[in-house]
Amino acid sequence: MDATEFDASVGGSEHLPFSANSLKFAASRSVEIAAMTESILQPSKTKLIFQTLPVHMRRRVMSHNSKRLPQRLRLAHLEQLKKSGLPPKQKRPSRKYRRRPTNLLEEYNRRQKRNVWLETHIWHAKRFHMIERWGHRLAYAPCDKSFRACYRASSAHCLMQDISYLTPISISGSMESIKEIFSSITSQKCGLGICAQAYINGCREGLINIYKQNSFPFDYIGTVQFVWTPTNPEKKQKDLWMFVHPSQSKQIESLITDLVSSKEAIEHIEPVGKKRKLSNNTSEKVQIKVWPGHFNRFCLTGPNSHAILVHSLKCIDIDKTKNNKWVCIPNVGDLYLETKSEYWNELKAIKSTSELPPRIVIGLVVKDPRTRRPSTRTKALCNTSDHVNTKFLLKIPQFVATSPLWNTSVCNSIKENRLSNAQYIKDITESQLVPGEVNDSDPKLQSLPVVLVQRQGSQDPKFKKLGYGSGWDIIIPSSYGMPFWLTFIMFGARVGGLRETENLSFEMGQSYFPPDSEAGKLEMERKEAEFKDKYFKLPPSKRVNYLKLGINSPFACPWKVLLKDWSDIPVDDFFVIRERNVLHILQGCITNKTALPEIENSASCLVQIYVKVLGKGSLKRHALIYIPQQNDIGNIESLFEPQHKDYNEELRKTRRKEHIKEIKGQRRKQSKQRKTNNNVTKKSQLKGEPSSYVKMMRELWLPSNVEVVRFGGIREVIGYVSQGSFSFTEARNCGVGYIAYNALNVLLKSNINQVLTRNTTTRKYRLAEIRVVHE
Amino acid sequence: MADEKTSQKKEENKKKPKRHHNKNYAVKKRLPARPVDGENVIFITKKTNFKAQLDKCCDLLTKGEKEIILHGLGAAIQRCCNLALQLEILFSGTCQIEVNTGTVEVIDDLEPLVDELDFDAQLRNTSSIHIRVFRTAMLGANQ
């Protein structure tokens, strides 16, 4: 054994020192320590930080969410992320922070900058598909598939829609000057004028067709609802409120303001020499103001809407008016509370809205609807067996239509003194001893003026079920939309969106947006783009080949081409007949199969018709209407369009082959380039914009220039169906369409009053009957 | 029927307001006031398919309704009678019919066609029929 291996104490030769210098000890090992710490803090390059963790501690989201890592590794991990080029993500504020009321409101205000929101927006956004339309964000259809339920509601119960997007426009001035303004933009032939005796006392709402200045029958703009505010008949100054659809409001507003300013200019020039006094008379001046968002307007359709209103609107007593601040505003005038509440009580027993005088206007002052709400959703029913005194249905009592709602300062005062929901609940919990009890006449709640406007619905039992589409429109001061809305829902109203508006107009046989108006043209373009987009998203094997079916414009109705084909002269503008007596004569001609009368501009004239398929067969949007031949009616079952030849098919195939070849070549080139030098320039192309090849292929699928539509198939085209589907009221496939006037004349001259229809996706012809749509 | 009467009477008393052929007005119809509504009350119209209405009545009766009430107005009276008689045949021996007739006041609206006139309304009487179809035997005796 070697003794040197042991130290001195055991008998060896090694002597241990009595003390050890720690500094020296560490310094001599410093290189080792440094290497160790470095290897801990910065692990070898081949591994990422989270890969150093044991497998059971690894999480999938670690790579982008560092909080999943143990804290000691986080810093290094983030460093690594930065190195690999991932920018550190911006943190989204927590949900708790985002849902704080002030932050939420800020967010809502930001989102409202682009589109106007209605007061019921948030309620709708939770339950409906929302779309952007006419500068608003509007509800399209409920998320639950309640297509049929909405129809049932409109026909047997109550369908409610928020139509607050209608723009109110107030016009004030003397009756003569207003009449003068409207004389150039409306026509006597279409129906009653704006200053007709029937409307001027304010008891009824009117409808009027508006055209561009002095261009009747061309340049139709739209139909406008209007109400005169009831005033003393002696008073010269009159106020008129128009409710204009937002798609037309800009047009109508500029049209009327132009008219007024031009008229004023003339007035100012004339009296310079002789009568100075007349021009100083400022009361003659016509004032126009636009009040977007000043009112809420809800549209209740269906027989039960009356019961809902009866349950939710309670007239106030006379001694309770002092609680309201708005009553003290000067110019409010007499409220006629007694007559109104008496009349409203009389109407209680009515079972359906169509028993009322058509288009009647009732101004009520009601209690806050929040006090009238049932605790659970119940269906308001009219269960009384007593009948209404017919006296009240025949004659409308005087002063019923008056309402302080039309006074704008009243509306502003109401808005200011509104009790918010939180305040209301706090008030109730403080004042009511029994929980759940509500004081009907709480002095803190202000009473509200509302205006009810009846819609008469169908008045012709031969055409549509009597009273279908009737209901109430309710006009409410702004900021009170939600309380009324929720109360109506609690009493059993079903809510619909824009889809239901379109559907309702179809079921009533009316056109949703007439094609000769600006709004209608825009709507058609929008629809066309939408359908085309959908069509080209399909794989080629699933696309309908319209060329083989002999249809050249499956997604739009080329009215101008149609009219040009049916007249010798070129047509640059067209219109739809709206003259009352002419429509009457047309209907007579169709039933009696006699030739149509000669009218002016018949070459550029369309007739709106209601198509009803006889027997089975469906009718869709953009279906074509044809003239039948004499023997077609007998053997309609075997009438098919023969298959057309698709001349573009070969071309498409060759183009496709060429394109594939080209792409392959490019790819090869690119890979070669990549091998030689690394910087490959990518093709710069805007996203969303299809390439020239795609555009060319689309053109080969659907040629965009339509030159002739009349002679395309074995029968001649005379018109198109602008909207068609299964109609629940008729239990049959129906459609609203337009026919060229000259074509209708040719049809009737051949002693036939039926037409052939063909959908765009089929070769089968169907027989259908037509009728002119008129009031 | 009522229209013929008036045209005869027209010469007799000219004070009575004209019913139609007045070129200044268009006559529009309103929904007549309804009697008490319910599950078992059916209003017969000329527009609805006859078979559909018959099926509806049959369904109600077979599903255990003790009685159904059919209302018909004006030109729909004949159809209402037809329906009730059909039901009697279908449920032979287990169903009985009770018929009441009456008159219902109907309101017509006169919509002006010229600017100078106001809206107006007129009363018209229409004959009506109310048929009660009720079961006499137990359910399931027939069908």
Side-chain angles (χ1 to χ4, degrees):
Chain A
M1 256 194 202
D2 204 345
T4 49
E5 285 185 20
F6 302 98
D7 67 22
S9 59
V10 209
S13 58
E14 281 298 304
H15 289 272
L16 288 173
F18 288 104
S19 63
N21 190 347
S22 65
L23 250 170
K24 209 179 159 189
F25 185 81
S28 63
R29 280 154 189 84
S30 67
V31 181
E32 263 175 76
I33 291 170
M36 216 161 73
T37 44
E38 200 196 21
S39 75
I40 286 171
L41 283 177
Q42 286 178 344
S44 59
K45 295 271 154 56
T46 50
K47 268 190 175 178
L48 292 171
I49 293 273
F50 66 86
Q51 283 171 332
T52 57
L53 278 173
V55 177
H56 74 274
M57 280 175 79
R58 289 186 200 166
R59 296 289 178 269
R60 193 175 55 82
V61 281
M62 270 174 189
S63 53
H64 55 88
N65 184 4
S66 61
K67 283 195 179 152
R68 286 292 186 164
L69 280 172
Q71 203 157 24
R72 62 194 163 84
L73 295 177
R74 262 179 223 166
L75 208 73
H77 176 68
L78 276 177
E79 286 288 312
Q80 251 183 2
L81 275 186
K82 265 182 203 164
K83 258 184 218 164
S84 65
L86 263 172
K89 261 194 178 173
Q90 263 189 345
K91 212 173 91 182
R92 197 183 179 203
S94 70
R95 184 181 160 81
K96 196 179 167 190
Y97 173 82
R98 277 183 284 133
R99 306 305 289 188
R100 266 182 214 157
T102 49
N103 299 334
L104 199 61
L105 192 70
E106 223 167 63
E107 175 71 4
Y108 285 163
N109 287 336
R110 185 186 66 77
R111 270 149 58 185
Q112 279 183 59
K113 272 177 196 162
R114 206 147 60 96
N115 290 307
V116 179
W117 283 8
L118 304 184
E119 266 174 40
T120 54
H121 176 89
I122 291 168
W123 189 92
H124 274 112
K126 288 174 183 169
R127 297 160 178 87
F128 277 67
H129 298 291
M130 306 297 285
I131 50 167
E132 281 169 25
R133 206 53 61 83
W134 315 304
H136 292 261
R137 188 95 179 143
L138 299 176
Y140 177 68
C143 289
D144 51 342
K145 296 174 184 172
S146 51
F147 188 79
R148 195 174 281 244
C150 283
Y151 163 73
R152 275 200 205 111
S154 72
S155 114
H157 312 294
C158 174
L159 179 75
M160 181 163 64
Q161 285 153 306
D162 190 353
I163 50 166
S164 311
Y165 51 80
L166 295 185
T167 321
I169 298 177
S170 76
I171 300 175
S172 56
S174 69
M175 206 174 90
E176 288 77 27
S177 45
I178 291 176
K179 198 174 183 178
E180 205 182 310
I181 288 167
F182 275 87
S183 63
S184 63
I185 56 171
T186 57
S187 170
Q188 283 288 319
K189 292 171 191 162
C190 293
L192 295 182
I194 201 150
C195 291
Q197 195 61 45
Y199 303 135
I200 201 78
N201 52 11
C203 286
R204 315 228 180 202
E205 191 199 44
L207 284 178
I208 199 157
N209 293 331
I210 290 192
Y211 294 81
K212 277 184 191 160
Q213 198 181 357
N214 296 328
S215 62
F216 176 82
F218 292 97
D219 294 327
Y220 169 75
I221 293 177
T223 307
V224 167
Q225 302 161 313
F226 65 89
V227 193
W228 288 92
T229 53
T231 43
N232 274 339
E234 292 97 52
K235 210 176 158 191
K236 266 206 147 184
Q237 193 80 1
K238 288 245 173 203
D239 293 328
L240 171 76
W241 282 90
M242 299 202 300
F243 285 85
V244 185
H245 197 271
S247 63
Q248 305 137 13
S249 62
K250 281 267 150 19
Q251 233 179 335
I252 288 179
E253 189 197 328
S254 62
L255 185 73
I256 295 175
T257 41
D258 284 353
L259 275 172
V260 169
S261 54
S262 66
K263 195 180 141 251
E264 267 172 15
I266 292 164
E267 265 181 13
H268 279 293
I269 295 161
E270 273 183 357
V272 171
K274 298 170 192 172
K275 298 169 191 168
R276 253 236 157 83
K277 273 181 189 170
L278 258 179
S279 65
N280 291 339
N281 195 354
T282 45
S283 69
E284 283 282 309
K285 236 183 183 176
V286 176
Q287 277 190 332
I288 293 164
K289 273 184 188 165
V290 185
W291 306 85
H294 191 67
F295 297 123
N296 280 301
R297 190 171 171 135
F298 299 152
C299 166
L300 286 85
T301 317
N304 212 30
S305 50
H306 187 76
I308 286 173
L309 289 190
V310 164
H311 279 80
S312 35
L313 306 182
K314 185 93 189 288
C315 290
I316 54 159
D317 309 320
I318 297 161
D319 48 327
K320 293 281 156 40
T321 51
K322 298 231 168 61
N323 298 334
N324 306 308
K325 280 182 184 157
W326 58 264
V327 176
C328 314
I329 290 173
N331 308 331
V332 163
D334 216 338
L335 291 173
Y336 307 106
L337 289 174
E338 242 171 306
T339 20
K340 283 174 180 174
S341 74
E342 200 179 294
Y343 188 58
W344 188 240
N345 275 333
E346 280 297 330
L347 296 183
K348 249 183 189 170
I350 281 178
K351 300 249 165 40
S352 164
T353 39
S354 54
E355 291 172 32
L356 291 154
R359 300 208 155 269
I360 181 180
V361 176
I362 304 177
L364 296 176
V365 180
V366 296
K367 287 176 183 166
D368 194 301
R370 284 175 285 197
T371 59
R372 308 282 309 157
R373 234 172 254 170
S375 54
T376 51
R377 195 165 180 232
T378 45
K379 192 180 172 190
L381 285 172
C382 175
N383 278 329
T384 52
S385 54
D386 46 327
H387 280 278
V388 190
N389 194 344
T390 42
K391 185 183 88 187
F392 289 101
L393 294 179
L394 286 172
K395 275 259 178 293
I396 307 169
Q398 218 182 350
F399 308 125
V400 159
T402 56
S403 175
L405 181 78
W406 304 120
N407 192 335
T408 48
S409 48
V410 167
C411 280
N412 292 336
S413 153
I414 285 171
K415 201 175 176 181
E416 276 166 29
N417 299 317
R418 175 179 186 264
L419 211 63
S420 75
N421 260 349
Q423 285 166 327
Y424 169 64
I425 291 165
K426 198 181 161 199
D427 178 54
I428 282 185
T429 43
E430 272 172 8
S431 61
Q432 295 300 314
L433 290 175
V434 184
E437 280 290 301
V438 171
N439 183 9
D440 222 3
S441 45
D442 197 329
K444 279 190 181 169
L445 289 171
Q446 52 184 344
S447 40
L448 305 159
V450 293
V451 170
L452 304 176
V453 181
Q454 198 251 10
R455 271 172 302 115
Q456 79 278 45
S458 162
Q459 291 176 308
D460 181 8
K462 278 172 194 150
F463 180 42
K464 287 284 165 189
K465 186 172 100 177
L466 204 58
Y468 178 75
S470 74
W472 281 109
D473 274 12
I474 178 165
I475 305 170
I476 298 160
S478 67
S479 84
Y480 266 93
M482 267 328 273
F484 276 98
W485 185 258
L486 290 177
T487 306
F488 295 151
I489 288 170
M490 290 304 264
F491 275 117
R494 176 178 273 276
V495 182
L498 281 180
R499 184 188 68 187
E500 274 63 50
T501 313
E502 191 176 349
N503 239 16
L504 209 65
S505 71
F506 162 69
E507 293 282 2
M508 296 273 288
Q510 293 159 348
S511 148
Y512 185 44
F513 277 110
D516 55 338
S517 67
E518 201 67 39
K521 277 167 199 162
L522 284 177
E523 177 79 6
M524 198 174 82
E525 276 167 24
R526 198 183 57 76
K527 281 258 162 69
E528 188 187 358
E530 192 182 295
F531 285 132
K532 249 190 189 160
D533 217 38
K534 208 176 166 191
Y535 178 72
F536 285 115
K537 267 180 191 164
L538 292 173
S541 61
K542 298 288 179 291
R543 281 179 208 159
V544 177
N545 193 340
Y546 289 112
L547 294 171
K548 278 188 179 171
L549 292 167
I551 280 160
N552 44 19
S553 68
F555 304 128
C557 311
W559 301 117
K560 280 182 192 170
V561 185
L562 177 81
L563 285 167
K564 191 199 78 196
D565 286 355
W566 279 98
S567 65
D568 307 326
I569 35 172
V571 178
D572 40 287
D573 203 0
F574 64 93
F575 67 96
V576 177
I577 294 193
R578 293 196 177 79
E579 283 125 304
R580 236 182 207 194
N581 52 344
V582 177
L583 288 177
H584 238 67
I585 294 167
L586 288 188
Q587 181 57 55
C589 288
I590 287 177
T591 43
N592 300 331
K593 299 180 193 175
T594 51
L596 297 179
E598 284 284 318
I599 62 159
E600 260 183 86
N601 302 319
S602 64
S604 50
C605 175
L606 289 174
V607 183
Q608 191 191 341
I609 50 153
Y610 191 72
V611 190
K612 198 165 147 189
V613 178
L614 297 166
K616 66 176 192 175
S618 75
L619 204 58
K620 295 275 154 57
R621 197 188 288 270
H622 305 310
L624 293 90
I625 305 172
Y626 297 89
I627 283 195
Q629 283 173 1
Q630 285 296 347
N631 52 355
D632 281 348
I633 293 164
N635 44 18
I636 186 70
E637 282 306 309
S638 57
L639 191 62
F640 284 94
E641 175 79 27
Q643 204 171 60
H644 291 237
K645 178 131 179 50
D646 182 3
Y647 291 101
N648 290 337
E649 198 171 3
E650 283 302 306
L651 201 58
R652 280 201 306 267
K653 272 180 186 164
T654 50
R655 286 283 156 83
R656 181 149 193 267
K657 268 179 193 163
E658 282 167 20
H659 182 68
I660 288 169
K661 228 182 199 173
E662 202 181 307
I663 281 180
K664 269 186 182 168
Q666 269 181 4
R667 232 177 253 159
R668 211 171 292 139
K669 232 187 243 169
Q670 273 179 8
S671 62
K672 260 184 196 171
Q673 255 182 356
R674 215 173 285 146
K675 272 173 194 170
T676 50
N677 53 335
N678 277 332
N679 51 338
V680 181
T681 47
K682 266 192 178 177
K683 240 188 175 178
S684 63
Q685 200 165 46
L686 283 171
K687 234 186 175 181
E689 180 76 9
S691 67
S692 60
Y693 164 74
V694 171
K695 275 183 190 164
M696 180 191 67
M697 283 304 261
R698 285 186 181 182
E699 190 63 27
L700 289 177
W701 273 101
L702 276 183
S704 62
N705 61 325
V706 180
E707 275 164 4
V708 178
V709 292
R710 181 176 167 183
F711 309 102
I714 51 166
R715 300 283 177 272
E716 290 175 27
V717 177
I718 56 171
Y720 289 93
V721 172
S722 65
Q723 186 159 20
S725 71
F726 184 80
S727 165
F728 293 124
T729 45
E730 298 294 314
R732 217 168 258 279
N733 272 279
C734 294
V736 178
Y738 296 89
I739 289 184
Y741 188 87
N742 289 346
L744 186 62
N745 207 1
V746 172
L747 174 79
L748 293 175
K749 269 180 187 162
S750 61
N751 213 19
I752 302 170
N753 59 2
Q754 289 173 328
V755 291
L756 294 175
T757 59
R758 179 161 76 100
N759 276 339
T760 49
T761 52
T762 171
R763 297 193 291 125
K764 181 91 187 77
Y765 286 93
R766 305 271 182 195
L767 204 61
E769 64 174 23
I770 54 170
R771 62 173 292 152
V772 172
V773 181
H774 60 97
E775 287 153 37
Chain B
M1 291 172 284
D3 300 337
E4 282 171 29
K5 248 186 206 170
T6 44
S7 56
Q8 286 170 7
K9 272 186 185 175
K10 213 160 65 177
E11 289 165 19
E12 292 166 19
N13 45 353
K14 279 184 180 175
K15 278 178 193 173
K16 254 194 166 181
K18 281 181 187 174
R19 281 238 164 122
H20 50 146
H21 297 311
N22 188 338
K23 276 190 178 172
N24 295 331
Y25 285 110
V27 180
K28 298 283 167 80
K29 284 181 179 169
R30 259 191 231 175
L31 203 67
R34 290 193 160 197
V36 180
D37 216 340
E39 284 272 286
N40 59 341
V41 181
I42 297 168
F43 298 96
I44 307 297
T45 62
K46 279 186 81 188
K47 202 163 158 53
T48 316
N49 189 353
F50 182 82
K51 188 68 174 50
Q53 280 178 333
L54 189 66
D55 284 350
K56 193 180 175 187
C57 297
C58 287
D59 268 7
L60 281 174
L61 284 175
T62 46
K63 270 181 190 154
E65 205 74 54
K66 274 177 189 150
E67 58 165 23
I68 56 172
I69 299 161
L70 312 176
H71 295 286
L73 207 65
I77 288 176
Q78 195 192 3
R79 180 177 264 219
C80 194
C81 299
N82 260 339
L83 198 81
L85 293 172
Q86 283 287 320
L87 280 176
E88 208 182 17
I89 295 167
L90 278 172
F91 291 84
S92 54
T94 64
C95 238
Q96 269 191 4
I97 284 174
E98 188 191 304
V99 184
N100 279 310
T101 57
T103 309
V104 171
E105 274 187 343
V106 183
I107 301 172
D108 284 340
D109 277 304
L110 298 174
E111 200 182 297
L113 297 176
V114 286
D115 279 358
E116 291 76 39
L117 289 168
D118 200 354
F119 273 88
D120 208 349
Q122 67 184 10
L123 274 177
R124 178 163 55 93
N125 287 326
T126 319
S127 35
S128 64
I129 194 161
H130 316 277
I131 304 178
R132 194 166 75 93
V133 185
F134 56 99
R135 299 206 77 153
T136 48
M138 285 301 289
L139 186 77
N142 192 18
Q143 282 201 343

